[in-house]
């Protein structure tokens, strides 16, 4: 069984604590994605799980084994690195078979497993090339191939696609998803690309400053963020947040109760431009950014804050136009003074 | 701490093993450095400490007995023995002659050879060749060339009507000769350090200055020279320390003579220890040399700090 | 007469080249003179100076080997330099790797400690080392000539040079090695070293030459002719009264220098770069 259990994990570099008590359970076969701003400790946490970084405190279990002090190679994991980390002096075949060779597998077995992995990843024709003779996408595939030949219990990925161009990234993302469906290994994947996180993850872990902000399925994080940070971190363009004070009267007029909330949030894609009669909020378009399918409007509301509004269709308002915005009550997010979500009473939902 | 296993019962976590990953790393790290470290302790640090004790004793290898004499050896050097101050004077003259000459020539050659042109590799190769040649060979050949009347240098000077001195037998000329030949031997090293530094200066600076109408000399003074300052500092200290260490060159060319005119500190230490067997006195000299080199290094560090702020 | 622009440039260029050639003479001339005089007889060598010997005395190169066990001495230099080079490569890359990559307690202190060696000249420690070697019973053997360069300031310099290079290598490769199950030694040997060829080559070159040219240590530790190394042997071609036998000395010096020069001419770029690398660090 390859559950992964993390209990109160901490890590300090000298005096600086970069991981501050992480608790997490990853189920067998689950695809978990770590996201968070740069420097929040995603890589460090992943490297602690992999064994490349020592653990300062807490416990790490893989299956039924506590592995805090088990060497990286003996944890039954495989890792795919951002820079691919292919050995430049070895061919693709040797790169992929290297770990097996170190583990003293028989040459026949190595051959068999390398070929199998190569077939899975369509690397058959590249086996005798050197890494420098491969394109970025091919190198990435070799790196993944190297990870799967060892038949690990858990896959770890640290921003595996960030060195690829946009098109290839979309393609490889789909390949990774397909691979996971086929192999079904427990997977932990670090990225700061939201779309990657949303499309790949069974569950997303949002990290900030070495702590978990929220864990949940992509839908949960999007629909019911626990706090302002997650609300703004998930979703693109990011959620509009303003003091409740600034829009209290329009909200009351529309019949939304704000309870004790001090901040209100609305996603740009949930704001519709409507006639004056239906409008809840009203503002002036200051900038209109054409995005192809529609336009992203910067709307200066009466109460001062600027809201982003996604407008589909060709008839985008021009800068200077007055627009009226409406939204449904279930899309209104309310947060208290500490930024925690105020879960509204059922009758309002 | 307890944790849940898959059936929901609790299992006690095994106690953390003694050999944690951190301990393992520490042990492995020390194992990696241990060959170097052990050898270093035995053949370098130990002797360095021993020198301190030697320097505090009267110990003549011939008489075979050792007595503790405190600072007497230092006193002897600094106040009694006239040779010592002559040696220091010689060492300072040697350094004062060698360092500026070496650096000026190195910089001039580097300026000439930093940019590619036809034949640049040829010249670089020639100027650097003495660096890879053994100091012994270089000294032997120059001693041969600088002999009195029979030497090739003087014979050539004679053809243009100059009566050359007996270079290595007259104190002042001998000092000049060892300095110049040493510069010829080592200048290539500083030259390539300067070339590397020059090549790392972006051309933009120079071109910007040229567009503003600066002359070649102004470009050098105002752009290149300030940018070379860190390199100049390092080269200066390395070369100065190196000049205090010179032994083989002088040993072979002049044997410290004539009239101790080229007897420098490194040679003096050798002479006291291995020709006169005055171990205590030689050790005191070694300590003095150590302090000089240390002082030079500290000066370098201070200057470098200043330069970076 | 006014010169046109291109003519002026040509004149400038020629003057420029000529001045470089003049400066190059004292660098090049000793080598030429050394080789030519190595072919001259004991009388011609003091006659009118000519670059081309009037009579080529090949016999010099035979007498060199009769005068003292020069072949043996030559071999000594080669094998000592090889031993010093191999040991230095091994130890400096091991220690350099640990200092670059491993986070172990005491590493920072150790760095400072080792660095202090860079500022202590060999002359300072040679006296105690003399007694140490005597006590070890290895006087007049090659042991001191191998151990002292490896563990002295030169070895420390090599360690730092290696460290500097390892620090700049991509770390993820080594992490991948770890995940693949390599031990520390395995990572060092199979990943870090193969990627460090330029640094290893630089250390090898400067170390070989360092050992090859060593003079003070052989002078202090060696006493029998058959144990001499080349630099010591070269200084030893004298007549019974101590006057140099120039024709033999220069022939022998040529034999010692020319092979190195040939290697230098072939690999000059690599060799010069190696010195530049060590100079900047050292
Ligand atoms: N070896 C180290 N020594 C000291 N501090 C470190 C070390 N490695 C990482 N850190 C610090 O730990 C924090 C977390 O780093 P980490 O690499 O885990 O961030 P990350 O979330 O992966 O960021 P990114 O998205 O930029 O990759 C950072 O503040 C970083 O400076
Ligand atoms: Mg990272």
């Amino acid at each position: 069984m390859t559950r992964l259990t993390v209990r109160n994990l901490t890590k300090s570099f000298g005096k600086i604590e970069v991981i501050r008590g992480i608790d997490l359970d990853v189920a067998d076969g689950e695809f978990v994605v770590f996201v968070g701003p740069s420097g929040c400790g995603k890589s460090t946490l992943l490297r602690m799980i992999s064994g490349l970084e020592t653990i300062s405190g807490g416990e790490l279990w893989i299956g039924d084994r506590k592995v805090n002090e088990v060497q990286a190679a003996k944890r039954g994991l495989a890792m795919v690195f951002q820079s691919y980390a292919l050995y430049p002096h070895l061919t693709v075949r040797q790169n992929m078979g290297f770990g097996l060779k170190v583990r003293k597998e028989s040459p026949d077995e190595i051959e068999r497993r390398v070929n199998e992995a190569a077939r899975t990843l369509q690397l058959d024709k590249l086996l005798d090339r050197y890494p420098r003779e491969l394109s970025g996408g091919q190198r990435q595939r070799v790196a993944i191939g190297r990870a799967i030949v060892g038949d690990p219990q858990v896959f770890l990925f640290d921003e595996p696609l960030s060195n690829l161009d946009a098109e290839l990234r979309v393609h490889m993302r789909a390949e990774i998803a397909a691979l996971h469906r086929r192999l079904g290994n427990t997977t932990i994947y670090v990225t700061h690309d939201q779309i990657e996180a949303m499309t790949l993850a069974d569950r997303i872990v949002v990290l900030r400053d070495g702590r978990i902000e929220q864990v949940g399925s992509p839908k949960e994080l999007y629909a019911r963020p626990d706090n302002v940070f997650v609300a703004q971190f998930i979703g693109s363009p990011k959620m509009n947040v303003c003091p409740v004070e600034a829009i209290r009267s329009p909200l009351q007029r529309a019949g939304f109760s704000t309870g004790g909330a001090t901040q209100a949030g609305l996603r740009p894609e949930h704001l519709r431009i409507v006639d004056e009669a239906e409008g809840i909020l009203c503002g002036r378009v200051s900038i209109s950014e054409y995005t192809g399918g529609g336009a992203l409007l910067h709307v200066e509301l009466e109460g001062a804050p600027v809201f982003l509004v996604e407008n589909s269709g060709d008839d985008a308002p021009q800068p200077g136009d007055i627009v009226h915005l409406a939204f449904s009550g279930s899309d209104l997010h309310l947060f208290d003074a500490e930024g925690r979500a105020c879960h509204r009473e059922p009758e309002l939902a | 701490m307890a944790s849940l296993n898959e059936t929901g019962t609790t299992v006690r976590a095994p106690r953390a093993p003694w050999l944690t990953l951190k301990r393992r790393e520490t042990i492995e790290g020390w194992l990696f450095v241990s060959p170097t470290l052990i050898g270093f302790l035995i053949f370098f640090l130990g002797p360095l400490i021993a020198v301190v004790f030697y320097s505090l004793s009267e110990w003549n290898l011939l008489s075979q007995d050792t007595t503790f004499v405190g600072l007497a050896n230092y006193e002897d050097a600094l106040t009694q023995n006239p040779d010592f101050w002559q040696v220091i004077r010689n060492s300072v003259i040697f350094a004062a002659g060698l360092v500026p000459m070496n650096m000026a020539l190195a910089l001039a050659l580097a300026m000439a050879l930093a940019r590619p042109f036809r034949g640049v590799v040829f010249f670089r190769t020639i100027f650097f060749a003495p660096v890879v040649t053994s100091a012994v060979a270089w000294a032997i050949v120059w001693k041969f060339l600088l002999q009195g009347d029979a030497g090739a240098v003087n014979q050539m000077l004679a053809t243009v009507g100059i009566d050359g001195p007996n270079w290595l037998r007259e104190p002042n000329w001998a000092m000049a000769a060892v300095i110049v030949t040493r510069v010829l031997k080592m200048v290539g090293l500083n030259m390539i350090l300067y070339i590397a530094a020059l090549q790392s200066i972006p051309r933009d600076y120079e071109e910007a200055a040229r567009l503003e109408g600066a002359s070649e000399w102004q470009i050098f003074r105002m752009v290149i020279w300030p940018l070379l300052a860190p390199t100049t500092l390092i080269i200066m200290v390395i070369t100065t320390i190196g000049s205090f260490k010179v032994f083989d060159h002088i040993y072979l060319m002049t044997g410290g003579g004539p009239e101790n005119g080229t007897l420098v500190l490194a040679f003096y230490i050798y002479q006291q220890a291995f020709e006169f067997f005055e171990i205590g006195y030689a050790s005191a000299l070694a300590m003095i040399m150590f302090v000089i080199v240390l002082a030079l290094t500290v000066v370098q560090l201070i200057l470098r700090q200043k330069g970076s702020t | 007469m006014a010169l046109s622009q291109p003519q002026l440039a040509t004149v400038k260029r020629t003057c420029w080249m000529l001045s470089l050639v003049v400066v190059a003479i004292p660098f090049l001339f000793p080598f030429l003179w050394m080789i030519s005089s190595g072919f001259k007889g004991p009388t011609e060598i003091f006659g009118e100076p000519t670059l081309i010997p009037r009579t080529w005395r090949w016999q010099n190169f035979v007498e060199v080997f009769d005068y003292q066990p020069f072949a043996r001495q030559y071999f000594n230099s080669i094998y000592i330099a090889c031993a010093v080079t191999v040991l230095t490569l091994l130890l400096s890359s091991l220690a350099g790797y640990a200092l670059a990559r491993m986070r172990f307690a005491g590493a920072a202190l150790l760095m400072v400690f080792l660095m202090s060696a860079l500022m202590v000249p060999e002359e300072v420690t040679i006296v105690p080392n003399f007694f140490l070697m005597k006590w070890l019973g290895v006087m007049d053997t090659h042991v001191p000539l191998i151990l002292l360069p490896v563990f002295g300031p030169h070895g420390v310099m090599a360690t730092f040079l290696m460290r500097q290079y390892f620090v700049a290598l991509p770390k993820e490769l080594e992490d991948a090695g770890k995940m693949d199950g390599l031990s520390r030694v395995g990572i060092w040997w199979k990943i870090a070293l193969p990627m460090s060829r330029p640094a290893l080559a630089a250390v090898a070159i400067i170390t070989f030459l360092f050992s090859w040219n060593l003079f003070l240590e052989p002078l202090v530790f060696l006493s029998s002719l058959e144990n001499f190394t080349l630099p010591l042997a070269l200084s030893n071609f004298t007549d019974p009264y101590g006057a140099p036998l120039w024709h033999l000395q220069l022939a022998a010096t040529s034999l010692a220098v020319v092979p190195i020069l040939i290697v230098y001419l072939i690999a000059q770029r690599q060799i010069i770069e190696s010195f530049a690398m060590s100079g900047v660090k050292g």
Side-chain angles (χ1 to χ4, degrees):
Chain A
M1 276 302 283
T2 44
R3 285 175 319 148
L4 206 96
T5 312
V6 176
R7 287 284 170 267
N8 196 25
L9 213 59
T10 59
K11 172 77 191 177
S12 311
F13 289 111
K15 287 199 178 61
I16 309 155
E17 195 172 30
V18 296
I19 298 292
R20 312 165 182 233
I22 299 281
D23 284 290
L24 181 67
D25 289 279
V26 179
D28 185 29
E30 198 176 14
F31 198 118
V32 169
V33 175
F34 293 172
V35 295
S38 189
C40 68
K42 304 179 295 285
S43 299
T44 306
L45 181 56
L46 193 75
R47 291 167 56 81
M48 288 163 76
I49 293 170
S50 72
L52 294 173
E53 203 72 76
T54 56
I55 291 169
S56 304
E59 293 185 5
L60 173 66
W61 295 69
I62 296 174
D64 293 332
R65 196 158 63 121
K66 184 178 167 191
V67 295
N68 282 39
E69 302 301 344
V70 176
Q71 285 170 280
K74 297 187 178 148
R75 293 187 183 186
L77 314 164
M79 185 146 166
V80 177
F81 296 90
Q82 178 175 357
S83 65
Y84 321 131
L86 301 178
Y87 308 120
H89 53 294
L90 301 182
T91 62
V92 169
R93 187 192 300 280
Q94 291 166 328
N95 261 288
M96 287 172 64
F98 190 77
L100 296 174
K101 201 170 149 200
V102 171
R103 295 194 171 87
K104 306 235 164 19
E105 289 286 349
S106 72
D108 292 344
E109 177 67 7
I110 295 176
E111 178 75 13
R112 194 184 64 74
R113 279 159 74 173
V114 168
N115 285 338
E116 191 185 310
R119 215 165 25 251
T120 310
L121 292 159
Q122 293 133 45
L123 288 169
D124 315 58
K125 293 200 180 63
L126 308 176
L127 280 175
D128 293 310
R129 294 211 198 161
Y130 283 93
R132 61 176 175 276
E133 300 164 340
L134 302 178
S135 72
Q138 289 168 334
R139 283 181 210 180
Q140 188 56 67
R141 270 212 288 277
V142 176
I144 294 172
R146 176 169 66 180
I148 66 178
V149 288
D151 196 16
Q153 298 176 301
V154 180
F155 277 133
L156 306 176
F157 291 87
D158 192 353
E159 305 201 17
L161 306 184
S162 58
N163 283 1
L164 300 178
D165 63 42
E167 196 182 333
L168 210 52
R169 209 178 311 181
V170 174
H171 177 73
M172 285 305 294
R173 194 170 77 202
E175 274 198 31
I176 289 175
L179 195 70
H180 180 249
R181 270 198 303 279
R182 182 138 30 101
L183 301 175
N185 294 48
T186 309
T187 302
I188 300 181
Y189 187 105
V190 169
T191 180
H192 50 223
D193 180 336
Q194 286 213 33
I195 316 268
E196 253 171 59
M198 301 294 265
T199 52
L200 288 170
D202 293 324
R203 279 196 302 156
I204 295 177
V205 176
V206 183
L207 291 167
R208 177 164 68 145
D209 273 348
R211 288 207 179 83
I212 293 183
E213 289 288 328
Q214 188 173 1
V215 182
S217 67
K219 258 207 185 88
E220 274 167 359
L221 294 193
Y222 181 77
R224 295 197 294 121
D226 275 350
N227 53 45
V228 176
F229 175 77
V230 176
Q232 291 206 297
F233 194 80
I234 300 291
S236 169
K238 72 179 187 181
M239 181 188 280
N240 302 300
V241 173
C242 71
V244 167
E245 222 34 63
I247 55 170
R248 185 180 298 281
S249 47
L251 288 182
Q252 272 167 354
R253 240 177 286 135
F256 298 125
S257 107
T258 52
T262 57
Q263 294 180 84
L266 283 162
R267 294 196 183 277
E269 59 272 33
H270 292 154
L271 290 166
R272 282 169 287 127
I273 294 176
V274 293
D275 297 335
E276 186 169 357
E278 293 172 59
I280 302 172
L281 299 171
C282 171
R284 178 193 300 275
V285 177
S286 60
I287 303 170
S288 168
E289 294 171 323
Y290 180 62
T291 56
L296 186 62
L297 307 176
H298 297 235
V299 178
E300 284 172 17
L301 293 188
E302 281 154 1
V306 174
F307 268 29
L308 297 178
V309 178
E310 237 169 44
N311 178 58
S312 51
D314 285 337
D315 53 344
Q318 294 306 304
D321 290 356
I322 302 289
V323 291
H324 299 272
L325 305 170
F327 52 89
S328 65
S330 58
D331 292 332
L332 175 64
H333 300 264
L334 293 169
F335 306 95
D336 66 16
E338 272 81 53
R340 285 189 299 263
C342 307
H343 291 292
R344 278 159 293 147
E345 307 307 315
E347 76 227 7
L348 272 170
Chain B
M1 249 203 128
S3 177
L4 287 176
N5 74 0
E6 66 200 72
T7 54
T9 54
T10 57
V11 259
R12 292 222 44 97
R15 278 180 45 129
W18 178 84
L19 188 64
T20 59
L21 291 179
K22 213 170 179 158
R23 281 217 178 92
R24 181 187 283 271
E25 178 122 337
T26 296
I27 293 170
E28 283 173 342
W30 283 100
L31 282 177
F32 267 58
V33 297
S34 59
T36 299
L37 185 61
I38 292 170
F40 179 79
L41 292 177
I42 297 176
F43 298 108
F44 185 79
L45 198 71
L48 193 59
I49 294 166
V51 165
V52 179
F53 288 100
Y54 288 5
S55 75
L56 300 176
S57 29
E58 170 76 44
W59 181 6
N60 187 304
L61 211 54
L62 300 175
S63 64
Q64 282 294 335
D65 53 19
T66 328
T67 41
F68 181 81
V69 293
L71 295 174
N73 286 320
Y74 293 92
E75 211 185 313
D76 193 13
L78 298 173
T79 62
Q80 309 283 308
N81 200 329
D83 281 353
F84 176 78
W85 286 110
Q86 193 188 352
V87 165
I88 292 294
R89 214 183 111 243
N90 289 343
S91 297
V92 170
I93 291 174
F94 185 75
L98 181 132
V99 175
M101 195 190 298
N102 185 332
M103 292 182 66
L105 185 56
L107 182 57
L109 291 176
M111 292 290 293
L113 300 178
R115 300 277 157 69
F117 61 87
R118 270 176 66 99
V120 70
V121 174
F122 172 77
F123 283 112
R124 273 189 217 169
T125 307
I126 286 182
F127 293 131
F128 195 77
V131 177
V132 299
T133 308
S134 88
V136 170
W138 192 250
I140 287 174
V141 176
W142 274 104
K143 186 179 177 185
F144 175 65
L145 293 174
L146 289 173
Q147 293 167 95
D149 291 336
V153 170
N154 276 351
Q155 298 217 9
M156 263 176 250
L157 287 177
T159 60
V160 292
I162 300 174
D163 185 17
N166 192 345
W167 299 95
L168 300 175
R169 296 286 165 79
E170 291 169 30
N172 289 339
W173 285 117
M175 181 55 97
V178 293
I179 289 173
V180 171
T181 49
R182 184 67 186 176
V183 167
L184 292 175
K185 164 89 172 74
M186 295 309 290
V187 72
L189 191 55
N190 288 345
M191 176 190 77
I192 54 147
L193 297 183
Y194 264 133
I195 288 179
L198 283 170
Q199 286 175 339
S200 71
I201 296 177
R203 289 295 288 268
D204 307 6
Y205 294 149
E206 201 186 312
E207 276 159 13
R210 187 156 292 143
L211 283 180
E212 284 166 18
S215 69
E216 293 295 322
W217 171 248
Q218 279 172 321
I219 290 173
F220 176 76
R221 256 319 270 123
M222 330 258 266
V223 181
I224 296 176
W225 177 247
L227 288 171
L228 286 179
T231 311
T232 301
L233 181 64
I234 295 173
I235 289 181
M236 189 165 79
V237 176
I238 297 178
T239 312
T240 312
I241 292 178
S243 78
F244 275 93
K245 299 204 280 194
V246 169
F247 167 72
D248 38 17
H249 186 70
I250 291 177
Y251 178 88
L252 288 159
M253 279 190 77
T254 63
E259 298 157 32
N260 287 351
T262 55
L263 189 63
V264 291
L265 190 53
F267 195 161
Y268 190 47
I269 295 173
Y270 170 81
Q271 203 180 45
Q272 292 298 323
F274 298 108
E275 286 176 9
F276 305 147
F277 307 111
E278 291 286 355
I279 302 303
Y281 184 61
S283 298
L285 296 173
M287 284 308 296
I288 290 170
M289 180 167 186
F290 176 51
V291 169
I292 291 174
V293 173
L294 198 68
L296 286 170
T297 312
V298 170
V299 167
Q300 171 203 9
L301 288 177
I302 292 172
L303 286 176
R304 226 194 273 196
Q305 290 263 290
K306 252 199 207 143
S308 64
T309 52
Chain C
M1 186 187 77
L3 289 171
S4 69
Q5 201 64 21
Q7 275 171 321
L8 198 67
T10 317
V11 170
K12 257 184 165 172
R13 251 188 71 79
T14 316
C15 291
W16 172 243
M17 286 304 250
L18 269 177
S19 51
L20 268 179
V21 168
V22 169
V23 177
I25 288 174
F27 291 83
L28 190 57
F29 185 71
F31 291 113
L32 300 179
W33 207 256
M34 165 188 79
I35 296 168
S36 108
S37 303
F39 283 101
K40 292 176 184 171
T43 44
E44 189 193 338
I45 211 163
F46 289 117
E48 204 175 306
T50 48
L51 198 53
I52 310 293
R54 273 187 292 270
T55 48
W56 293 75
R57 193 164 185 274
W58 290 92
Q59 209 184 331
N60 286 352
F61 293 89
V62 177
E63 283 173 20
V64 158
F65 292 88
D66 295 336
Y67 181 83
Q68 54 180 345
F70 194 67
R72 180 66 219 246
Q73 294 163 339
Y74 213 109
F75 173 76
N76 289 343
S77 265
I78 291 175
Y79 103 81
I80 291 172
C82 287
V84 170
T85 304
V86 169
L87 276 176
T88 301
L89 282 175
L90 206 67
L91 300 191
S92 69
S93 67
L94 263 177
Y97 179 77
L99 292 174
R101 273 291 191 265
M102 297 165 76
R103 282 202 294 265
F104 58 100
L109 199 68
L110 186 66
M111 289 267 288
V112 176
F113 185 62
L114 288 178
M115 204 159 333
S116 66
L118 294 178
M119 33 198 207
V120 184
E122 285 94 345
E123 282 90 347
V124 173
T125 50
I126 189 88
V127 172
N129 269 323
F130 174 82
F131 291 106
L132 178 63
M133 295 303 168
K134 214 167 160 175
W135 181 73
L136 290 173
V138 291
M139 290 303 287
D140 200 20
T141 73
H142 295 143
V143 175
L145 306 191
I146 294 173
L147 292 183
L148 292 185
V150 171
F151 294 113
H154 181 84
V156 172
M157 194 275 295
T159 301
F160 279 102
L161 208 151
M162 289 310 301
R163 188 198 93 96
Q164 217 67 6
Y165 200 84
F166 286 135
V167 163
L169 287 181
K171 192 159 186 289
E172 287 196 340
L173 270 175
E174 293 171 40
D175 288 339
K178 248 194 227 178
M179 297 300 292
D180 273 340
L182 284 178
S183 63
R184 271 296 181 182
V185 176
I187 293 172
W188 166 73
W189 181 254
K190 293 204 168 130
I191 298 177
L193 287 189
M195 289 199 301
S196 309
R197 296 224 175 87
L200 291 170
V203 168
I205 287 168
I206 55 177
T207 305
F208 188 93
L209 286 171
F210 179 81
S211 167
W212 182 262
N213 295 337
L214 217 52
F215 183 69
L216 176 65
E217 282 80 358
L219 184 66
V220 169
F221 293 108
L222 300 181
S223 48
S224 15
L225 278 179
E226 63 271 22
N227 286 339
F228 274 19
T229 57
L230 277 181
L232 206 49
L234 295 182
S235 66
N236 196 41
F237 285 97
T238 49
D239 66 16
Y241 307 102
L245 292 166
W246 284 114
H247 62 299
L248 293 190
Q249 192 166 34
L250 290 165
T253 305
S254 304
L255 284 179
V257 169
V258 169
I260 296 282
L261 279 183
I262 289 173
V263 173
Y264 167 66
L265 289 181
I266 294 167
Q268 59 86 19
R269 179 177 295 271
Q270 169 89 57
I271 290 173
I272 290 180
E273 261 169 28
S274 302
F275 275 89
M277 243 167 126
S278 67
V280 174
K281 263 112 214 173

